[in-house]
Amino acid sequence: GILVRASTEISSIPETVAALPARKAAFSLADHGSDGAYADGAALVLREGAEARRLPLEGFRVPGSHNVENLMAALLCARALGLGLDAAI
């Protein structure tokens, strides 16, 4: 997480954020070819390296593509926090 004190100058926030460890995980409604998540027809695909896991969308109540994107973002956040996928869903 990010802890910013009230007395911190706004101009120092980018440097603070840049110093934090980070990992990029993309999500998309189409296969983007990198780690992260994408929608593939009636399923989500979560990919990390050579491993990929398919989750049927029918198990989630996510009407509309924006909610599918929200679901992918939430699952990727859970993974980044170290939660297992089964615990996240």
Side-chain angles (χ1 to χ4, degrees):
I2 299 172
L3 175 62
V4 180
R5 296 179 318 187
S7 62
T8 302
E9 293 289 326
I10 296 295
S11 62
S12 69
I13 292 175
E15 292 83 19
T16 302
V17 172
L20 295 172
R23 191 173 91 193
K24 180 180 175 181
F27 61 94
S28 174
L29 294 175
D31 186 353
H32 45 75
S34 61
D35 285 356
Y38 66 93
D40 183 22
L44 293 182
V45 179
L46 298 173
R47 184 182 331 178
E48 188 167 22
E51 294 184 32
R53 182 161 172 194
R54 294 181 64 81
L55 300 172
L57 279 173
E58 65 190 26
F60 301 96
R61 294 181 184 216
V62 286
S65 59
H66 64 287
N67 284 322
V68 172
E69 291 175 322
N70 290 341
L71 174 60
M72 289 186 283
L75 292 174
L76 291 172
C77 286
R79 182 170 73 186
L81 291 171
L83 291 175
L85 185 57
D86 293 327
I89 56 175

